Amino acid sequence: EADIYQTPRYLVIGTGKKITLECSQTMGHDKMYWYQQDPGMELHLIHYSYGVNSTEKGDLSSESTVSRIRTEHFPLTLESARPSHTSQYLCASSDGLAGGPLFFGPGTRLTVL
Amino acid sequence: AQTVTQSQPEMSVQEAETVTLSCTYDTSESDYYLFWYKQPPSRQMILVIRQEAYKQQNATENRFSVNFQKAAKSFSLKISDSQLGDAAMYFCAYRSPSGGSGTYKYIFGTGTRLKVLA
């Protein structure tokens, strides 16, 4: 079944650790996105990609980095986690067709101690 | 720049009743797309309904319908026969038309928390 997957779903980690949040989609979408969302609050776009080897920063400045080596895979990396990075991270994709909606993954809830 | 405004941080509705969530947006474009998303507590964000700006007919999906007023730049969501499972954060979103290089943006409102009272 075509879907969008994120792992891990929950992560509790200490300050200074390097982490990678995984996002994969089997929907065949070219466009992928990372949003940061504090619980029950608005979404902030932090990264997006329009295809392989294409990545752009979003509206909210983030210390994270992303890569897009394969169409279906769009991981997000934090080189040195800090408590200010505690948040929920949502991965999304779209097919790029006129008016296509975003499809969201289940999210990763990150807590940095 | 395009903006999306949801002026109701929180709404409550009695089970089986009808509720309307408000959304206004600002754009200079004539062709764009609007969406309502639902995010239940600790669960995945899902698409509720989609509207194309060039279509005058309001979109409907079962108990969910929209009131799209293009001139007023208003896009409200009506939920009929509310159920306990409708309790969630609801986000209104705008998608710009594709640019020359195929780029476009999704812009989200700040959300409305809907509580359903038994």
Side-chain angles (χ1 to χ4, degrees):
Chain A
E1 181 181 341
D3 209 339
I4 181 164
Y5 306 93
Q6 289 186 247
T7 57
R9 293 290 312 278
Y10 302 91
L11 179 62
V12 180
I13 202 163
T15 296
K17 299 292 186 183
K18 178 180 178 178
I19 60 169
T20 296
L21 307 185
E22 300 288 349
C23 176
S24 294
Q25 49 97 2
T26 56
M27 307 182 82
H29 290 168
D30 286 332
K31 297 173 172 57
M32 296 188 73
Y33 310 78
W34 277 103
Y35 287 86
Q36 184 175 340
Q37 181 192 30
D38 290 331
M41 302 295 284
E42 62 192 293
L43 286 78
H44 297 283
L45 179 67
I46 52 175
H47 298 282
Y48 61 98
S49 167
Y50 283 161
V52 171
N53 295 325
S54 152
T55 61
E56 301 287 345
K57 289 190 179 294
D59 304 319
L60 180 68
S61 176
S62 174
E63 293 166 346
S64 59
T65 59
V66 292
S67 63
R68 189 92 183 274
I69 299 173
R70 302 197 318 264
T71 299
E72 64 272 18
H73 194 214
F74 190 42
L76 180 146
T77 298
L78 275 167
E79 291 292 334
S80 180
R82 294 208 302 266
S84 61
H85 296 139
T86 294
S87 189
Q88 176 162 249
Y89 293 84
L90 301 177
C91 182
S93 70
S94 68
D95 60 14
L97 296 177
L102 281 173
F103 293 91
F104 285 87
T108 293
R109 184 152 293 180
L110 172 66
T111 302
V112 184
L113 303 177
Chain B
Q2 297 97 346
T3 59
V4 175
T5 302
Q6 292 181 250
S7 59
Q8 306 155 317
E10 191 170 293
M11 293 280 286
S12 296
V13 63
Q14 206 68 34
E15 199 176 4
E17 296 296 308
T18 295
V19 64
T20 298
L21 308 184
S22 300
C23 173
T24 59
Y25 58 93
D26 189 25
T27 183
S28 58
E29 303 286 350
S30 59
D31 188 18
Y32 48 86
Y33 308 89
L34 298 165
F35 310 92
W36 277 99
Y37 284 88
K38 171 185 178 182
Q39 188 180 37
S42 300
R43 291 179 62 188
Q44 197 159 345
M45 182 96 73
I46 59 173
L47 177 68
V48 174
I49 202 163
R50 170 182 176 274
Q51 175 78 42
E52 298 160 342
Y54 62 86
K55 287 188 176 179
Q56 292 186 331
Q57 186 173 5
N58 289 324
T60 62
E61 286 288 342
N62 301 313
R63 297 182 296 107
F64 298 87
S65 62
V66 298
N67 183 4
F68 173 50
Q69 301 289 328
K70 190 171 184 179
K73 296 180 183 175
S74 171
F75 182 60
S76 60
L77 175 70
K78 185 172 83 170
I79 306 174
S80 304
D81 186 25
S82 296
Q83 301 174 0
L84 294 177
D86 295 334
M89 282 288 287
Y90 286 82
F91 291 94
C92 178
Y94 164 97
R95 201 203 100 154
S96 62
S98 296
S101 56
T103 61
Y104 49 84
K105 296 188 74 171
Y106 293 92
I107 299 167
F108 285 82
T110 52
T112 296
R113 183 180 306 279
L114 178 65
K115 295 183 177 181
V116 181
L117 308 173

